[in-house]
Amino acid sequence: MKLSKRLRCVADAVGRVKSITDIGCDHAYLPLYFVTAGGADFAVAADIRPGPLAAAREHVRAYGVSDRIDIRQSDGLSNIRAGETEALTICGMGGLLILKILARDREKLDAFARIVIEPQSDVAALAEGLSALGLAIMAEDLTTERGKFYPIFTLAPGDGRTNGDWDMRLARTGHPVMRRMIERRLRQLEKIEAHLRTEGIDRPGALADERARLRRLSAVMKRGDIVDGK
């Protein structure tokens, strides 16, 4: 089972586990990968929508692993028992939806040994919300696929006071995808600000704040002498 670059990055963050639950499984690509590649002995592929679940069943049947992957209709974690699997993944959703899923069943989360999420929007709001839930971003990665950038977070119970610094931590490592993301976003901001000037509109403070943070991230990457925690 071959994964997309984005999902492979998620799988690498999870590592080898005995069992895994994938929320919003779509066609069950991630559970299939774990079971067929030896990454897990058992998986739960959960989705709220009947269409993706039907497609997931067909894929699982085609690979001959129906006895090792449980296809289950579930609104988030509502139909998942605490401690049922070792790992949990939530991918391909907006950050606010992921946060809603985690918050609604917060009491179940501490039973998972590994939680990996891949938000596709509202990353800053997600990071702040995770802190309020007592969840800390313990590791972060960033990948790109089809011209879009996707952060991947590994979570664990904790105060999460530094959740908002995930991008700075990646910058300190000199992450090549982070460099590309910063450069692209700075170019986008330049075009937006140029358009606003031609329209005689003052630059919103939010744009100025974003530009300043991007420049700080870029400066950190260029110095190349900053170590995590310094």
Side-chain angles (χ1 to χ4, degrees):
M1 179 72 198
K2 186 176 181 180
L3 288 178
S4 67
K5 188 177 179 181
R6 173 178 62 88
L7 289 181
R8 182 55 190 268
C9 197
V10 171
D12 289 345
V14 174
R16 174 70 173 89
V17 291
K18 291 181 180 179
S19 55
I20 185 168
T21 294
D22 183 36
I23 300 296
C25 68
D26 196 14
H27 290 55
Y29 294 131
L30 201 54
L32 273 169
Y33 173 80
F34 271 93
V35 167
T36 60
D41 300 324
F42 173 77
V44 175
D47 206 294
I48 192 174
R49 300 165 297 169
L53 288 173
R57 287 191 185 93
E58 289 300 318
H59 282 138
V60 169
R61 189 178 299 117
Y63 276 85
V65 289
S66 297
D67 59 330
R68 298 173 62 195
I69 298 179
D70 182 6
I71 308 297
R72 190 180 306 177
Q73 188 166 27
S74 181
D75 184 2
L77 289 162
S78 63
N79 200 24
I80 308 298
R81 298 186 302 276
E84 185 170 3
T85 61
E86 182 180 355
L88 169 68
T89 54
I90 308 179
C91 309
M93 303 181 194
L96 295 181
L97 178 55
I98 292 176
L99 189 63
K100 180 180 178 181
I101 290 171
L102 295 174
R104 191 168 53 201
D105 287 283
R106 174 63 183 87
E107 71 281 358
K108 296 180 181 179
L109 301 181
D110 292 348
F112 292 102
R114 180 66 59 96
I115 302 174
V116 176
I117 61 175
E118 180 264 302
Q120 300 200 344
S121 63
D122 301 303
V123 178
L126 170 64
E128 182 177 349
L130 290 172
S131 300
L133 289 178
L135 294 170
I137 297 173
M138 304 303 294
E140 53 279 311
D141 201 353
L142 186 68
T143 190
T144 182
E145 185 176 88
R146 298 179 181 177
K148 295 183 179 180
F149 296 94
Y150 301 100
I152 290 127
F153 299 148
T154 300
L155 309 180
D159 60 28
R161 284 178 295 177
T162 62
N163 283 352
D165 294 330
W166 69 270
D167 51 357
M168 189 64 72
R169 290 193 293 270
L170 275 183
R172 286 170 178 154
T173 69
H175 199 294
V177 179
M178 172 61 76
R179 188 183 306 278
R180 290 160 59 189
M181 187 180 78
I182 292 170
E183 291 172 350
R184 177 183 295 183
R185 185 55 183 162
L186 282 172
R187 290 195 298 269
Q188 290 173 340
L189 287 178
E190 288 174 0
K191 291 180 180 179
I192 293 170
E193 291 171 346
H195 174 72
L196 291 176
R197 285 194 298 270
T198 60
E199 296 294 324
I201 302 172
D202 290 336
R203 182 176 65 182
L207 289 181
D209 291 344
E210 184 180 2
R211 174 186 282 276
R213 182 166 182 82
L214 288 168
R215 291 199 179 282
R216 287 196 298 273
L217 291 170
S218 182
V220 166
M221 297 198 77
K222 286 179 180 177
R223 286 204 299 271
D225 58 354
I226 295 182
V227 179
D228 277 342
K230 298 291 183 67

